[in-house]
Amino acid sequence: MPYTYYMILATLSAVPERSMTMTDLATLVYSSLSRLSHAVARLEERGWVRRSPNPDNRRITIAVLTDEGQAALDAAAPAHVEEVRRRLFDPLTGEQVAQLREILKALWKELDPAPGTPGPFPEIFGPEA
């Protein structure tokens, strides 16, 4: 599964009702609305995401993670996490990982597209020491 698709599915899986506006989703996955729309169209073809108009404002489109999309994400997650660990963390010492965690926390506070949301994927960093 391409990384972009994984991030879209993971982002939707982490929010209430597994749904959000396309605009908010684009912000959280650091994508243009146009690029996101193209990717979501591919995910719709697979049955992993569906789009529907907001009932309160039909100009707004809501992206919803389907049960099939959640299953695809669940199936892809172990390999994704293992690849991230292998490429980013295995070459580092425990001390370097702790330093990286602190650096990323500081950056997250400045770059957070949705203040108040959890920091960058604690399942990758593991519990804080």
Side-chain angles (χ1 to χ4, degrees):
M1 171 185 310
Y3 176 75
T4 300
Y5 294 2
Y6 184 90
M7 289 310 301
I8 292 167
L9 298 178
T11 300
L12 287 172
S13 77
V15 296
E17 299 180 31
R18 299 187 319 200
S19 67
M20 65 176 29
T21 68
M22 290 287 287
T23 301
D24 289 345
L25 183 56
T27 299
L28 289 173
V29 299
Y30 299 97
S31 177
S32 70
L33 197 50
S34 174
R35 181 173 286 189
L36 176 69
S37 184
H38 179 74
V40 169
R42 301 293 78 76
L43 294 171
E44 278 185 302
E45 290 170 2
R46 296 176 184 200
W48 295 351
V49 173
R50 68 179 162 76
R51 287 185 274 192
S52 60
N54 182 323
D56 298 326
N57 183 342
R58 297 189 66 77
R59 294 175 295 169
I60 297 173
T61 301
I62 305 291
V64 181
L65 179 66
T66 65
D67 290 341
E68 293 83 2
Q70 183 66 58
L73 177 64
D74 292 345
H80 173 79
V81 170
E82 180 57 34
E83 186 68 7
V84 169
R85 284 183 192 273
R86 186 178 71 74
R87 290 181 178 257
L88 297 178
F89 296 102
D90 287 354
L92 303 176
T93 66
E95 182 179 336
Q96 289 171 322
V97 171
Q99 291 169 343
L100 180 59
R101 178 186 292 122
E102 293 307 312
I103 291 166
L104 291 174
K105 277 191 207 175
L107 292 173
W108 186 257
K109 289 176 186 175
E110 291 299 317
L111 300 174
D112 187 359
T117 59
F121 303 98
E123 68 273 13
I124 294 172
F125 290 101
E128 290 196 35

Short mmCIF file of all heavy atoms in Angstrom, two decimals, residues 65-94:
data_model
loop_
_atom_site.label_atom_id
_atom_site.label_comp_id
_atom_site.label_asym_id
_atom_site.label_seq_id
_atom_site.Cartn_x
_atom_site.Cartn_y
_atom_site.Cartn_z
N LEU A 65 -13.93 6.39 6.55
CA LEU A 65 -13.23 5.11 6.46
C LEU A 65 -14.26 4.00 6.59
O LEU A 65 -15.01 3.95 7.57
CB LEU A 65 -12.19 5.01 7.58
CG LEU A 65 -11.38 3.72 7.65
CD1 LEU A 65 -10.49 3.58 6.43
CD2 LEU A 65 -10.54 3.71 8.92
N THR A 66 -14.30 3.10 5.63
CA THR A 66 -15.25 1.98 5.67
C THR A 66 -14.67 0.84 6.52
O THR A 66 -13.49 0.84 6.87
CB THR A 66 -15.51 1.45 4.25
OG1 THR A 66 -14.29 0.90 3.74
CG2 THR A 66 -16.04 2.54 3.32
N ASP A 67 -15.52 -0.13 6.82
CA ASP A 67 -15.04 -1.31 7.54
C ASP A 67 -13.96 -2.02 6.73
O ASP A 67 -12.98 -2.52 7.29
CB ASP A 67 -16.19 -2.27 7.82
CG ASP A 67 -17.16 -1.72 8.87
OD1 ASP A 67 -16.80 -0.80 9.63
OD2 ASP A 67 -18.31 -2.23 8.93
N GLU A 68 -14.13 -2.06 5.41
CA GLU A 68 -13.12 -2.68 4.54
C GLU A 68 -11.81 -1.90 4.60
O GLU A 68 -10.73 -2.48 4.58
CB GLU A 68 -13.62 -2.76 3.10
CG GLU A 68 -14.79 -3.70 2.90
CD GLU A 68 -16.15 -3.08 3.24
OE1 GLU A 68 -16.21 -1.87 3.60
OE2 GLU A 68 -17.15 -3.80 3.17
N GLY A 69 -11.91 -0.58 4.68
CA GLY A 69 -10.72 0.25 4.79
C GLY A 69 -10.01 0.03 6.12
O GLY A 69 -8.77 -0.02 6.17
N GLN A 70 -10.78 -0.12 7.20
CA GLN A 70 -10.18 -0.39 8.50
C GLN A 70 -9.47 -1.74 8.47
O GLN A 70 -8.36 -1.87 9.00
CB GLN A 70 -11.24 -0.37 9.60
CG GLN A 70 -10.68 -0.56 11.00
CD GLN A 70 -9.79 0.58 11.44
OE1 GLN A 70 -10.22 1.73 11.48
NE2 GLN A 70 -8.54 0.28 11.78
N ALA A 71 -10.09 -2.72 7.83
CA ALA A 71 -9.46 -4.04 7.73
C ALA A 71 -8.17 -3.97 6.92
O ALA A 71 -7.17 -4.60 7.28
CB ALA A 71 -10.44 -5.04 7.09
N ALA A 72 -8.17 -3.20 5.84
CA ALA A 72 -6.96 -3.05 5.02
C ALA A 72 -5.86 -2.37 5.83
O ALA A 72 -4.69 -2.76 5.77
CB ALA A 72 -7.27 -2.25 3.76
N LEU A 73 -6.22 -1.35 6.60
CA LEU A 73 -5.26 -0.66 7.46
C LEU A 73 -4.70 -1.61 8.51
O LEU A 73 -3.49 -1.67 8.72
CB LEU A 73 -5.90 0.56 8.11
CG LEU A 73 -5.04 1.33 9.09
CD1 LEU A 73 -3.84 1.96 8.38
CD2 LEU A 73 -5.86 2.40 9.79
N ASP A 74 -5.59 -2.35 9.15
CA ASP A 74 -5.15 -3.31 10.18
C ASP A 74 -4.18 -4.33 9.60
O ASP A 74 -3.21 -4.71 10.25
CB ASP A 74 -6.36 -4.02 10.80
CG ASP A 74 -7.24 -3.09 11.63
OD1 ASP A 74 -6.80 -1.96 11.96
OD2 ASP A 74 -8.39 -3.49 11.92
N ALA A 75 -4.44 -4.77 8.38
CA ALA A 75 -3.57 -5.75 7.73
C ALA A 75 -2.21 -5.14 7.37
O ALA A 75 -1.19 -5.81 7.45
CB ALA A 75 -4.25 -6.31 6.48
N ALA A 76 -2.21 -3.86 6.98
CA ALA A 76 -0.97 -3.20 6.56
C ALA A 76 -0.13 -2.68 7.72
O ALA A 76 1.08 -2.51 7.57
CB ALA A 76 -1.29 -2.05 5.60
N ALA A 77 -0.77 -2.41 8.85
CA ALA A 77 -0.08 -1.74 9.96
C ALA A 77 1.18 -2.46 10.45
O ALA A 77 2.22 -1.80 10.62
CB ALA A 77 -1.06 -1.49 11.10
N PRO A 78 1.15 -3.75 10.71
CA PRO A 78 2.37 -4.38 11.23
C PRO A 78 3.58 -4.22 10.30
O PRO A 78 4.68 -3.91 10.77
CB PRO A 78 1.97 -5.86 11.39
CG PRO A 78 0.48 -5.83 11.55
CD PRO A 78 0.03 -4.70 10.67
N ALA A 79 3.38 -4.40 9.01
CA ALA A 79 4.50 -4.25 8.07
C ALA A 79 4.96 -2.80 8.01
O ALA A 79 6.16 -2.51 7.91
CB ALA A 79 4.10 -4.74 6.68
N HIS A 80 4.01 -1.86 8.08
CA HIS A 80 4.36 -0.44 8.05
C HIS A 80 5.21 -0.08 9.27
O HIS A 80 6.27 0.54 9.14
CB HIS A 80 3.10 0.41 8.01
CG HIS A 80 3.36 1.87 8.14
ND1 HIS A 80 3.81 2.64 7.09
CD2 HIS A 80 3.25 2.70 9.20
CE1 HIS A 80 3.96 3.88 7.50
NE2 HIS A 80 3.64 3.94 8.79
N VAL A 81 4.75 -0.47 10.44
CA VAL A 81 5.48 -0.15 11.67
C VAL A 81 6.86 -0.81 11.65
O VAL A 81 7.86 -0.18 12.02
CB VAL A 81 4.67 -0.55 12.92
CG1 VAL A 81 5.51 -0.44 14.18
CG2 VAL A 81 3.42 0.32 13.04
N GLU A 82 6.94 -2.04 11.20
CA GLU A 82 8.24 -2.73 11.13
C GLU A 82 9.19 -2.01 10.18
O GLU A 82 10.38 -1.86 10.48
CB GLU A 82 8.04 -4.19 10.70
CG GLU A 82 9.34 -4.96 10.60
CD GLU A 82 10.15 -4.97 11.89
OE1 GLU A 82 9.57 -4.98 12.98
OE2 GLU A 82 11.40 -4.95 11.79
N GLU A 83 8.69 -1.56 9.05
CA GLU A 83 9.54 -0.85 8.09
C GLU A 83 10.04 0.48 8.67
O GLU A 83 11.21 0.84 8.50
CB GLU A 83 8.78 -0.61 6.78
CG GLU A 83 9.61 -0.02 5.68
CD GLU A 83 10.68 -0.95 5.13
OE1 GLU A 83 10.74 -2.15 5.51
OE2 GLU A 83 11.49 -0.48 4.32
N VAL A 84 9.17 1.20 9.36
CA VAL A 84 9.58 2.45 10.00
C VAL A 84 10.66 2.17 11.04
O VAL A 84 11.69 2.85 11.08
CB VAL A 84 8.37 3.18 10.63
CG1 VAL A 84 8.82 4.33 11.52
CG2 VAL A 84 7.43 3.69 9.54
N ARG A 85 10.44 1.16 11.87
CA ARG A 85 11.43 0.81 12.88
C ARG A 85 12.77 0.44 12.24
O ARG A 85 13.83 0.89 12.66
CB ARG A 85 10.95 -0.36 13.74
CG ARG A 85 9.92 -0.01 14.74
CD ARG A 85 9.58 -1.23 15.59
NE ARG A 85 8.41 -1.01 16.38
CZ ARG A 85 8.42 -0.46 17.58
NH1 ARG A 85 9.54 -0.08 18.11
NH2 ARG A 85 7.30 -0.29 18.23
N ARG A 86 12.71 -0.40 11.20
CA ARG A 86 13.93 -0.87 10.55
C ARG A 86 14.73 0.28 9.94
O ARG A 86 15.95 0.34 10.09
CB ARG A 86 13.58 -1.90 9.47
CG ARG A 86 14.79 -2.56 8.83
CD ARG A 86 14.40 -3.60 7.79
NE ARG A 86 13.85 -3.01 6.57
CZ ARG A 86 14.57 -2.38 5.64
NH1 ARG A 86 15.87 -2.25 5.78
NH2 ARG A 86 14.01 -1.90 4.56
N ARG A 87 14.04 1.18 9.28
CA ARG A 87 14.74 2.25 8.57
C ARG A 87 15.12 3.43 9.46
O ARG A 87 16.14 4.07 9.23
CB ARG A 87 13.88 2.77 7.41
CG ARG A 87 13.75 1.77 6.29
CD ARG A 87 12.91 2.33 5.16
NE ARG A 87 12.84 1.41 4.07
CZ ARG A 87 13.54 1.53 2.95
NH1 ARG A 87 14.37 2.54 2.80
NH2 ARG A 87 13.40 0.65 1.99
N LEU A 88 14.30 3.74 10.45
CA LEU A 88 14.53 4.95 11.23
C LEU A 88 15.09 4.72 12.63
O LEU A 88 15.79 5.58 13.16
CB LEU A 88 13.24 5.76 11.35
CG LEU A 88 12.66 6.30 10.05
CD1 LEU A 88 11.37 7.04 10.31
CD2 LEU A 88 13.66 7.21 9.37
N PHE A 89 14.76 3.60 13.24
CA PHE A 89 15.13 3.43 14.64
C PHE A 89 16.20 2.39 14.89
O PHE A 89 17.02 2.55 15.78
CB PHE A 89 13.88 3.14 15.49
CG PHE A 89 12.92 4.28 15.47
CD1 PHE A 89 11.79 4.23 14.67
CD2 PHE A 89 13.16 5.42 16.21
CE1 PHE A 89 10.91 5.29 14.63
CE2 PHE A 89 12.30 6.49 16.17
CZ PHE A 89 11.16 6.43 15.38
N ASP A 90 16.22 1.32 14.11
CA ASP A 90 17.23 0.28 14.33
C ASP A 90 18.66 0.81 14.24
O ASP A 90 19.52 0.35 15.00
CB ASP A 90 17.02 -0.89 13.38
CG ASP A 90 15.82 -1.75 13.74
OD1 ASP A 90 15.21 -1.49 14.81
OD2 ASP A 90 15.48 -2.65 12.96
N PRO A 91 18.94 1.77 13.35
CA PRO A 91 20.32 2.27 13.29
C PRO A 91 20.71 3.14 14.50
O PRO A 91 21.88 3.47 14.65
CB PRO A 91 20.34 3.12 12.02
CG PRO A 91 19.16 2.70 11.22
CD PRO A 91 18.14 2.25 12.22
N LEU A 92 19.74 3.50 15.34
CA LEU A 92 20.00 4.42 16.46
C LEU A 92 20.17 3.66 17.77
O LEU A 92 19.60 2.60 17.97
CB LEU A 92 18.84 5.41 16.62
CG LEU A 92 18.49 6.26 15.40
CD1 LEU A 92 17.26 7.12 15.69
CD2 LEU A 92 19.66 7.11 14.97
N THR A 93 20.93 4.27 18.68
CA THR A 93 21.05 3.73 20.03
C THR A 93 19.80 4.15 20.81
O THR A 93 19.04 5.03 20.38
CB THR A 93 22.28 4.31 20.75
OG1 THR A 93 22.08 5.72 20.95
CG2 THR A 93 23.56 4.04 19.97
N GLY A 94 19.60 3.55 21.97
CA GLY A 94 18.48 3.93 22.83
C GLY A 94 18.53 5.41 23.20
O GLY A 94 17.50 6.09 23.23
#
